[in-house]
Amino acid sequence: MAGINKEYTFAKAGRAAIRLLAWYNIPPPVSRGIAGITKEYTFGKARRIFIKYHIILFRFFKFIVSPIFPKANIFIHSLPGRLLAYEWLKYRYGVFEETGHAHNSRSPSYYRSSDGEWKPTTCANVPSGGRFLLWEQRHFLPFGVRAEEKQGLTKSFMAFPELLTVTELCDEGSHDREAPTLHNLLCDGKSVWEVIRASTDFQSNRNGVADLKEGEVVFQYIQPQKPRIILLIEDTNVMNVQKRWDFMRKALKKFVTYDVPDGHSIGLVVFDSIAATKYPLTVLTDGAVREKVGSSLPRKPSREGQHKRCIICGLRESLNLLRQNGLGGHIVLVTAGNGILSEMEYLEAVEVLDNAHVSLHSIIYPLTEKYPKPAEGLEKLAAHTGGDTFIVPDEGIGADSKLRMYYNLLDAFYHTLSIALGHSVLPIKVHSAEHPGGRVPVSEGSFLMDPSLGSDTVFAIFYYDMTHVGNLVHLVSPHGQVIDTANMQKEDANINMITIRLMEAQVTSGLWHYKVENHADSHQALYVQVTSRPRSHAEASSIDLRAWTNHPSGVVNASDTTKPFALYTELMAGSRSIENAKIIATLSRLGNFNNGSQYPPLEVELLDNGFTGPDMIQGDGVYSRFVPSLRSAKYSMTVHVEGTLDGFTFSRHARIGTISIVGTPPVEDILPPSRIMDFHASLEPGSTSKVRFTWTAPGGDLDFDSADHYVVMISRSQQDLKEILGTTLEGWPLPLESYTQQEHTINWNIYDTVNYLALFAVDQNGNEGPLSNVVTVYVPSPPTTTSYPSSSVVPISSPNNSASKEDTSSPVLAALDTRQLAVLLGCLGGIIIVVSLILCYCKAVHHRHRKAAAAKKSGEPQDSYSVTVTISPKSTDFSDNKDSQQSLKKDYISPVESWSASQLLSNHSDNKRNSVSTNSDNSNQSAPAKKMYGDYTPGNDCSEANQYQYQYVAYPDHYQTSSEGFPTPTESYPTPSDEYPPPPEDYPSDYPPPSEVHSYVSSQPSDSFLSVSCDVLPSSHGPPAYAPYPAYDASLRSAKVPPPIPPKPKVLYTPEPYSTPEPYLYDAQSLDPHSSSLSVASDKRVRNVTMV
């Protein structure tokens, strides 16, 4: 509880104000109200508003609301305490809220339960339907509990902290494991009590349930004294190499003279084999005191060897100085070597530091090992006391040292001081850049200034030698104003620095440019640094940057893959999180290759996407990322940030410290893919059965690279999915690179049933990732007729995280306003008018067609009739009697093309004579018949032998003759009611059964001369050349029936007029189904099968 302050309480109380508006069904006002809240404001802005207007707000409730509603007074005094407990549970025990949010696909306001009904996303001990709210883009808002539902509602406090009746947390008995709350998602469906009981606070029957008495909580605010700092510096002979000690003295002078704010106490102790105080603990008040403390370091180090150094001696001497004014303080240890401590040194240092309540911060300057080995030493000791460790590699060249080593030492002092005093005490480092010498005569660069900065802005140039900086130093403002700094420069040769201080009025927000004349040697460089402080009355909030790792001890065991190394960076503007920033963490491996070159840095982008592993909540301002597969070594870590706030771009820098990777990573890949957290299902717009699934590719090794395949499961039980017992779905796409959006669409044929789907990724070595979030798919049955969704039904799409199309059982109804009603009536009227016009038009057209048909019927002879056309695979044999020949003369004619009536009559008898033969032999047909019908024999039949169901060798020997002379089938010809002979043994089983009878009727005469080809002729009962007579109609047996008509070949035909008729010539190739092309020789000899 000691970590809670007034600012924390106000921030959470501001968040409660918005929750109260939703509780009372009041949407956030469009314009500023009493609390100054607008709907565009986030929770972070609500905090500042609450602080500004909380007095007016509470006076309003005290003098206006309380007299009218006496119970409101209890609510006003109870709410801050309840919100404090609500946030404390989340902070202390790692539990999360148990309510949904509008516009949140992971935790929507409502969800479809297993019975298909809508339920609020919450956890309660009694059923709670709530009031459904509409606001902004027709989505659900957090529901409000009805007054009648508050009776008996006591759980859960993590869902209803603002309700006075709710005093308990959800346990195993009342917890809703199906609700898509953030707590269920991140805690695997466990209740809040299950998670809290696993904490050490409740182990061994500690903090059991007891009777608590109501009372007021009293907070006592303690103002800490300003931090006291002891500088503990090693002065063995290892420091007397190249420029190491010279850089040490310059850095100490800058640290005391420029960096440490007024009012803070500084002391100086040096040690080798023994320790000695060089300057007692003194409060820095003016420049004279700073000059004395900064110049107290000896000009030359001692000649003692480093192997004789006594770090414990230096710690004891420093603690003696701190005890003079009480407990507590900070020790900044600067030592050379590799930072390794013996076991005895480590244990003794831990004891003396813990007893004194002192934090240790270590700076390894310089790192003398060329191939440093990771080991537990000063890093672990500093982390144990709450400090950090920074390493400055040795940058010696000949008798000199590079300027880079000096600047890294200055940077280490700066970050150590920011940890000891707080980030808000020191100026913000906006820009730092190295400009190597010997390349260009003028070095150029740029830096960003955001609106929150501008006070005490300093442009500094660090050099190895004064002659390395030329006369030209120009600054260019974002508006293009060139500032000549010749009369603004301040030189300090004691620390090799030139500073240019800008007035607050000169500093405009935007991108600044600078030019510096660079005369540095090729092995040296110039360093440019820009620092600034927040404006005193800035409208924009100051930007705070904080970085850390998940291994505070500074040591990571590479062989333990259960705790991979992770980096974190928090980016805030006041209490508001900054989203969509680009944060790059750079890990520099300390040491060199065998050829002396440095290791290339490793850059990792940190993300705030809420995909767990390790980021849990999206948009909370905490950017993080796992960094797997690091080699065993020591690494220095820095962070660079670029983002946008209120329309302005900003940049920040931070230094995390060092990390030691120990142990040997496994030879085989055992890192699984990361968890998929944004699995989402939705019904395709305009579709009733297509469900689209979307998700983000997780990666192969955690969230790096790509996985091998997905395992997708479906079940009607969420528990089965969590136990990997669902049915596996196939045909899903392969994984893409990590953080790539993927989608898959399924034709869903399971209606009116709730199904659950989840998936996980598997890498190339079979490592399975965690199960994704579970999505709900509910597709109602498609309507039998086309229907349009009513405007009074709120569509449910992304907010409910399920693929559903809202039907009449929608839980939300919105009343139609006047404009919507007018639009609806107008649409209905327009539809009625269009339908009426279509009906009138159809009726008129039908009437006109009937009149035309009647006129045609009265003016034309009715002597045309339709006949059934078939073809026989055998040659036909006609009866040789007179009546038959006479009937043929009367009714059978040759094909017509464009003949006149006289031509038809004159050729009628000739064509009849040549149509058939009077012989009874099947193969003895007359030459005219062969010429007209082609040389038709069973061998050149255009159809396959097995095309028909039954094959007959020949037709009957004779037909019965009717009184009118037409030949008719014999009485022995089977009727549809008779049984046909059984099919042959090789009869194909996939052909239709013999009961099927197909009738094909020839069309009426037309100018197009339609033809019947062999591939459209049906297979039916009896001899293929005739259609059987129905048994029920005996009149047809005595009627005149024309003889079978040979089919015309299937050829291309282009009609054109002819002066004289031409006989039909049979072309066997045109009827050959295996022919590559149709016959063109007979395209003008197409036979018409229409009878006149």
mmCIF file of all heavy atoms in Angstrom, residues 817-842:
data_model
loop_
_atom_site.group_PDB
_atom_site.id
_atom_site.type_symbol
_atom_site.label_atom_id
_atom_site.label_comp_id
_atom_site.label_asym_id
_atom_site.label_seq_id
_atom_site.Cartn_x
_atom_site.Cartn_y
_atom_site.Cartn_z
ATOM 1 N N ASP A 817 -36.731 6.866 -36.123
ATOM 2 C CA ASP A 817 -37.050 8.283 -36.063
ATOM 3 C C ASP A 817 -37.812 8.683 -37.332
ATOM 4 O O ASP A 817 -38.098 7.868 -38.210
ATOM 5 C CB ASP A 817 -35.769 9.119 -35.891
ATOM 6 C CG ASP A 817 -34.774 8.851 -36.996
ATOM 7 O OD1 ASP A 817 -35.177 8.248 -38.014
ATOM 8 O OD2 ASP A 817 -33.612 9.246 -36.828
ATOM 9 N N THR A 818 -38.180 9.954 -37.437
ATOM 10 C CA THR A 818 -39.003 10.424 -38.557
ATOM 11 C C THR A 818 -38.286 10.250 -39.887
ATOM 12 O O THR A 818 -38.888 9.839 -40.893
ATOM 13 C CB THR A 818 -39.358 11.898 -38.329
ATOM 14 O OG1 THR A 818 -39.990 12.018 -37.060
ATOM 15 C CG2 THR A 818 -40.313 12.388 -39.415
ATOM 16 N N ARG A 819 -37.004 10.537 -39.924
ATOM 17 C CA ARG A 819 -36.260 10.434 -41.172
ATOM 18 C C ARG A 819 -36.181 8.984 -41.641
ATOM 19 O O ARG A 819 -36.395 8.685 -42.816
ATOM 20 C CB ARG A 819 -34.847 11.001 -40.977
ATOM 21 C CG ARG A 819 -33.998 10.950 -42.231
ATOM 22 C CD ARG A 819 -32.623 11.532 -41.974
ATOM 23 N NE ARG A 819 -32.699 12.920 -41.551
ATOM 24 C CZ ARG A 819 -31.628 13.636 -41.206
ATOM 25 N NH1 ARG A 819 -30.428 13.097 -41.246
ATOM 26 N NH2 ARG A 819 -31.764 14.886 -40.816
ATOM 27 N N GLN A 820 -35.892 8.068 -40.716
ATOM 28 C CA GLN A 820 -35.833 6.663 -41.099
ATOM 29 C C GLN A 820 -37.186 6.159 -41.578
ATOM 30 O O GLN A 820 -37.275 5.387 -42.530
ATOM 31 C CB GLN A 820 -35.341 5.833 -39.912
ATOM 32 C CG GLN A 820 -33.887 6.099 -39.540
ATOM 33 C CD GLN A 820 -33.468 5.346 -38.302
ATOM 34 O OE1 GLN A 820 -34.313 5.016 -37.476
ATOM 35 N NE2 GLN A 820 -32.180 5.081 -38.150
ATOM 36 N N LEU A 821 -38.274 6.587 -40.901
ATOM 37 C CA LEU A 821 -39.606 6.162 -41.306
ATOM 38 C C LEU A 821 -39.953 6.667 -42.698
ATOM 39 O O LEU A 821 -40.541 5.956 -43.521
ATOM 40 C CB LEU A 821 -40.639 6.659 -40.274
ATOM 41 C CG LEU A 821 -42.076 6.169 -40.464
ATOM 42 C CD1 LEU A 821 -42.126 4.654 -40.370
ATOM 43 C CD2 LEU A 821 -42.983 6.800 -39.427
ATOM 44 N N ALA A 822 -39.585 7.925 -43.010
ATOM 45 C CA ALA A 822 -39.868 8.484 -44.334
ATOM 46 C C ALA A 822 -39.103 7.722 -45.416
ATOM 47 O O ALA A 822 -39.631 7.419 -46.493
ATOM 48 C CB ALA A 822 -39.506 9.968 -44.359
ATOM 49 N N VAL A 823 -37.844 7.383 -45.127
ATOM 50 C CA VAL A 823 -37.050 6.635 -46.101
ATOM 51 C C VAL A 823 -37.645 5.252 -46.332
ATOM 52 O O VAL A 823 -37.742 4.764 -47.467
ATOM 53 C CB VAL A 823 -35.591 6.534 -45.616
ATOM 54 C CG1 VAL A 823 -34.791 5.598 -46.517
ATOM 55 C CG2 VAL A 823 -34.941 7.918 -45.599
ATOM 56 N N LEU A 824 -38.084 4.601 -45.248
ATOM 57 C CA LEU A 824 -38.655 3.267 -45.370
ATOM 58 C C LEU A 824 -39.943 3.284 -46.192
ATOM 59 O O LEU A 824 -40.149 2.458 -47.095
ATOM 60 C CB LEU A 824 -38.920 2.695 -43.978
ATOM 61 C CG LEU A 824 -39.526 1.293 -43.926
ATOM 62 C CD1 LEU A 824 -38.602 0.296 -44.600
ATOM 63 C CD2 LEU A 824 -39.773 0.878 -42.482
ATOM 64 N N LEU A 825 -40.843 4.253 -45.892
ATOM 65 C CA LEU A 825 -42.091 4.339 -46.638
ATOM 66 C C LEU A 825 -41.843 4.674 -48.107
ATOM 67 O O LEU A 825 -42.518 4.171 -49.010
ATOM 68 C CB LEU A 825 -43.001 5.386 -45.995
ATOM 69 C CG LEU A 825 -43.523 5.031 -44.592
ATOM 70 C CD1 LEU A 825 -44.357 6.169 -44.040
ATOM 71 C CD2 LEU A 825 -44.323 3.742 -44.618
ATOM 72 N N GLY A 826 -40.887 5.550 -48.362
ATOM 73 C CA GLY A 826 -40.559 5.885 -49.747
ATOM 74 C C GLY A 826 -40.054 4.680 -50.525
ATOM 75 O O GLY A 826 -40.413 4.470 -51.687
ATOM 76 N N CYS A 827 -39.202 3.871 -49.874
ATOM 77 C CA CYS A 827 -38.697 2.668 -50.547
ATOM 78 C C CYS A 827 -39.831 1.689 -50.848
ATOM 79 O O CYS A 827 -39.909 1.114 -51.946
ATOM 80 C CB CYS A 827 -37.633 1.997 -49.676
ATOM 81 S SG CYS A 827 -36.120 2.971 -49.495
ATOM 82 N N LEU A 828 -40.743 1.492 -49.878
ATOM 83 C CA LEU A 828 -41.862 0.575 -50.102
ATOM 84 C C LEU A 828 -42.772 1.071 -51.234
ATOM 85 O O LEU A 828 -43.226 0.293 -52.073
ATOM 86 C CB LEU A 828 -42.658 0.407 -48.809
ATOM 87 C CG LEU A 828 -41.935 -0.326 -47.671
ATOM 88 C CD1 LEU A 828 -42.806 -0.364 -46.430
ATOM 89 C CD2 LEU A 828 -41.565 -1.732 -48.088
ATOM 90 N N GLY A 829 -43.062 2.382 -51.260
ATOM 91 C CA GLY A 829 -43.885 2.937 -52.326
ATOM 92 C C GLY A 829 -43.255 2.773 -53.697
ATOM 93 O O GLY A 829 -43.917 2.437 -54.679
ATOM 94 N N GLY A 830 -41.951 3.005 -53.774
ATOM 95 C CA GLY A 830 -41.261 2.837 -55.044
ATOM 96 C C GLY A 830 -41.299 1.393 -55.526
ATOM 97 O O GLY A 830 -41.482 1.117 -56.712
ATOM 98 N N ILE A 831 -41.150 0.444 -54.597
ATOM 99 C CA ILE A 831 -41.198 -0.971 -54.975
ATOM 100 C C ILE A 831 -42.582 -1.341 -55.504
ATOM 101 O O ILE A 831 -42.722 -2.057 -56.507
ATOM 102 C CB ILE A 831 -40.812 -1.842 -53.776
ATOM 103 C CG1 ILE A 831 -39.331 -1.620 -53.422
ATOM 104 C CG2 ILE A 831 -41.066 -3.315 -54.067
ATOM 105 C CD1 ILE A 831 -38.894 -2.314 -52.162
ATOM 106 N N ILE A 832 -43.632 -0.830 -54.852
ATOM 107 C CA ILE A 832 -45.002 -1.138 -55.287
ATOM 108 C C ILE A 832 -45.252 -0.590 -56.692
ATOM 109 O O ILE A 832 -45.849 -1.246 -57.548
ATOM 110 C CB ILE A 832 -46.014 -0.578 -54.276
ATOM 111 C CG1 ILE A 832 -45.888 -1.344 -52.937
ATOM 112 C CG2 ILE A 832 -47.437 -0.669 -54.807
ATOM 113 C CD1 ILE A 832 -46.720 -0.757 -51.835
ATOM 114 N N ILE A 833 -44.800 0.617 -56.963
ATOM 115 C CA ILE A 833 -44.998 1.224 -58.287
ATOM 116 C C ILE A 833 -44.284 0.425 -59.362
ATOM 117 O O ILE A 833 -44.834 0.139 -60.438
ATOM 118 C CB ILE A 833 -44.528 2.688 -58.267
ATOM 119 C CG1 ILE A 833 -45.453 3.528 -57.348
ATOM 120 C CG2 ILE A 833 -44.515 3.269 -59.670
ATOM 121 C CD1 ILE A 833 -44.977 4.941 -57.145
ATOM 122 N N VAL A 834 -43.061 0.016 -59.102
ATOM 123 C CA VAL A 834 -42.294 -0.738 -60.090
ATOM 124 C C VAL A 834 -42.959 -2.079 -60.370
ATOM 125 O O VAL A 834 -43.097 -2.512 -61.527
ATOM 126 C CB VAL A 834 -40.847 -0.930 -59.596
ATOM 127 C CG1 VAL A 834 -40.096 -1.888 -60.520
ATOM 128 C CG2 VAL A 834 -40.133 0.407 -59.555
ATOM 129 N N VAL A 835 -43.405 -2.762 -59.318
ATOM 130 C CA VAL A 835 -44.072 -4.056 -59.511
ATOM 131 C C VAL A 835 -45.356 -3.890 -60.313
ATOM 132 O O VAL A 835 -45.683 -4.698 -61.197
ATOM 133 C CB VAL A 835 -44.341 -4.713 -58.143
ATOM 134 C CG1 VAL A 835 -45.206 -5.965 -58.313
ATOM 135 C CG2 VAL A 835 -43.031 -5.066 -57.471
ATOM 136 N N SER A 836 -46.132 -2.826 -60.047
ATOM 137 C CA SER A 836 -47.373 -2.588 -60.789
ATOM 138 C C SER A 836 -47.099 -2.360 -62.268
ATOM 139 O O SER A 836 -47.805 -2.885 -63.140
ATOM 140 C CB SER A 836 -48.108 -1.386 -60.191
ATOM 141 O OG SER A 836 -48.412 -1.607 -58.829
ATOM 142 N N LEU A 837 -46.085 -1.580 -62.593
ATOM 143 C CA LEU A 837 -45.736 -1.343 -63.994
ATOM 144 C C LEU A 837 -45.325 -2.627 -64.697
ATOM 145 O O LEU A 837 -45.688 -2.876 -65.855
ATOM 146 C CB LEU A 837 -44.620 -0.304 -64.076
ATOM 147 C CG LEU A 837 -44.987 1.131 -63.639
ATOM 148 C CD1 LEU A 837 -43.756 2.024 -63.673
ATOM 149 C CD2 LEU A 837 -46.083 1.699 -64.539
ATOM 150 N N ILE A 838 -44.576 -3.475 -64.017
ATOM 151 C CA ILE A 838 -44.147 -4.738 -64.624
ATOM 152 C C ILE A 838 -45.346 -5.631 -64.903
ATOM 153 O O ILE A 838 -45.460 -6.261 -65.970
ATOM 154 C CB ILE A 838 -43.132 -5.434 -63.709
ATOM 155 C CG1 ILE A 838 -41.833 -4.609 -63.645
ATOM 156 C CG2 ILE A 838 -42.826 -6.847 -64.199
ATOM 157 C CD1 ILE A 838 -40.812 -5.144 -62.680
ATOM 158 N N LEU A 839 -46.284 -5.698 -63.954
ATOM 159 C CA LEU A 839 -47.472 -6.532 -64.159
ATOM 160 C C LEU A 839 -48.314 -6.027 -65.337
ATOM 161 O O LEU A 839 -48.824 -6.819 -66.149
ATOM 162 C CB LEU A 839 -48.302 -6.563 -62.872
ATOM 163 C CG LEU A 839 -47.673 -7.304 -61.689
ATOM 164 C CD1 LEU A 839 -48.565 -7.191 -60.464
ATOM 165 C CD2 LEU A 839 -47.435 -8.759 -62.031
ATOM 166 N N CYS A 840 -48.505 -4.709 -65.425
ATOM 167 C CA CYS A 840 -49.271 -4.147 -66.544
ATOM 168 C C CYS A 840 -48.618 -4.470 -67.888
ATOM 169 O O CYS A 840 -49.281 -4.820 -68.873
ATOM 170 C CB CYS A 840 -49.431 -2.639 -66.369
ATOM 171 S SG CYS A 840 -50.466 -2.172 -64.949
ATOM 172 N N TYR A 841 -47.313 -4.357 -67.940
ATOM 173 C CA TYR A 841 -46.601 -4.637 -69.187
ATOM 174 C C TYR A 841 -46.744 -6.109 -69.570
ATOM 175 O O TYR A 841 -47.006 -6.442 -70.734
ATOM 176 C CB TYR A 841 -45.126 -4.270 -69.024
ATOM 177 C CG TYR A 841 -44.282 -4.659 -70.208
ATOM 178 C CD1 TYR A 841 -44.300 -3.898 -71.384
ATOM 179 C CD2 TYR A 841 -43.466 -5.787 -70.163
ATOM 180 C CE1 TYR A 841 -43.537 -4.257 -72.471
ATOM 181 C CE2 TYR A 841 -42.698 -6.156 -71.240
ATOM 182 C CZ TYR A 841 -42.736 -5.381 -72.408
ATOM 183 O OH TYR A 841 -41.975 -5.746 -73.484
ATOM 184 N N CYS A 842 -46.590 -6.997 -68.614
ATOM 185 C CA CYS A 842 -46.716 -8.426 -68.902
ATOM 186 C C CYS A 842 -48.127 -8.765 -69.389
ATOM 187 O O CYS A 842 -48.312 -9.573 -70.312
ATOM 188 C CB CYS A 842 -46.370 -9.237 -67.662
ATOM 189 S SG CYS A 842 -44.640 -9.103 -67.173
#
